[in-house]
Amino acid sequence: MRIRNLAVTATLIPVLMLAGCGADTSADVAASSPGAQKASKHTDVPVGAAQPETTQVSDDPVVNAYYDYRAALDTMMKSGGKATKQLVPVMTPTLYKAISLQAKYYRARKLRNTGATKVVWAKRTVAAAGVIVRACYDTKAARTVDAKGRGVIPAKTPTRWVDEMRVEQRDGRWVVDGGRTTPQKC
């Protein structure tokens, strides 16, 4: 893959962070993509805080772990990489380390996200690699901007993405352990 400019770099930094993470040989893409934003069914209530009843999106705690991960990731990117504490309870330490590097990249380049990502659907599946949440999300309303508010993602960048994220139970709580994200109509 050739990196041509800052916009492509901002898009691909998560991809480069988690290459080869986990036992799954296809786990070559990170847990986020450009403009990855908070799930649209969540509010701005911090992760770990009491969530309003309207934010319950599933009866499945594994799927809800994915939504919490998306909300925490959205908060980090909207803050320009400054807010990272909310990431700890929703992901494994290995994924946290990778996403922290992405946050550092956002801070160094003075990038931040605006708008919101809409999770179109999310469902649990079981694979050889463990419990997987497969989800489709749309970044059409989300933008990654620089310090001057100029968009840094090329106009032809796909807006529909499919996440395939491993979710595992740690200390009695479901957390995201990484996986892959691919541009795909869904």
Side-chain angles (χ1 to χ4, degrees):
M1 209 178 273
R2 261 177 72 196
I3 306 228
R4 296 181 183 171
N5 57 33
L6 174 62
V8 174
T9 302
T11 301
L12 296 178
I13 206 69
V15 173
L16 301 173
M17 294 296 168
L18 290 179
C21 186
D24 185 294
T25 57
S26 67
D28 59 348
V29 182
S32 70
S33 61
Q37 300 281 330
K38 174 175 76 175
S40 63
K41 294 181 182 180
H42 284 269
T43 63
D44 284 337
V45 176
V47 174
Q51 298 284 327
E53 270 187 80
T54 58
T55 64
Q56 185 68 23
V57 295
S58 173
D59 293 334
D60 187 343
V62 173
V63 173
N64 284 334
Y66 174 79
Y67 279 109
D68 289 344
Y69 156 79
R70 275 272 166 231
L73 191 60
D74 177 59
T75 299
M76 183 278 292
M77 290 196 280
K78 282 185 174 183
S79 75
K82 295 174 185 164
T84 59
K85 290 181 183 178
Q86 76 286 352
L87 299 170
V88 174
V90 300
M91 58 183 62
T92 62
T94 304
L95 182 58
Y96 176 76
K97 185 177 179 180
I99 298 299
S100 292
L101 290 173
Q102 182 181 1
K104 183 178 178 181
Y105 181 87
Y106 266 58
R107 287 189 307 270
R109 305 293 184 294
K110 294 184 170 58
L111 301 174
R112 66 182 172 81
N113 283 9
T114 63
T117 290
K118 177 182 177 186
V119 175
V120 179
W121 53 261
K123 60 185 175 182
R124 176 205 302 220
T125 61
V126 178
V131 180
I132 306 290
V133 170
R134 185 171 160 85
C136 170
Y137 64 95
D138 189 324
T139 61
K140 190 173 186 175
R143 289 185 54 206
T144 302
V145 298
D146 62 16
K148 294 181 180 178
R150 293 180 300 213
V152 296
I153 304 296
K156 294 189 182 236
T157 300
T159 60
R160 286 284 177 117
W161 301 83
V162 172
D163 266 345
E164 292 179 295
M165 299 303 203
R166 287 180 306 281
V167 180
E168 65 180 49
Q169 199 165 31
R170 287 199 171 205
D171 301 323
R173 181 181 175 99
W174 288 99
V175 295
V176 174
D177 183 40
R180 67 179 173 168
T181 299
T182 54
Q184 199 173 92
K185 292 187 186 238
C186 51

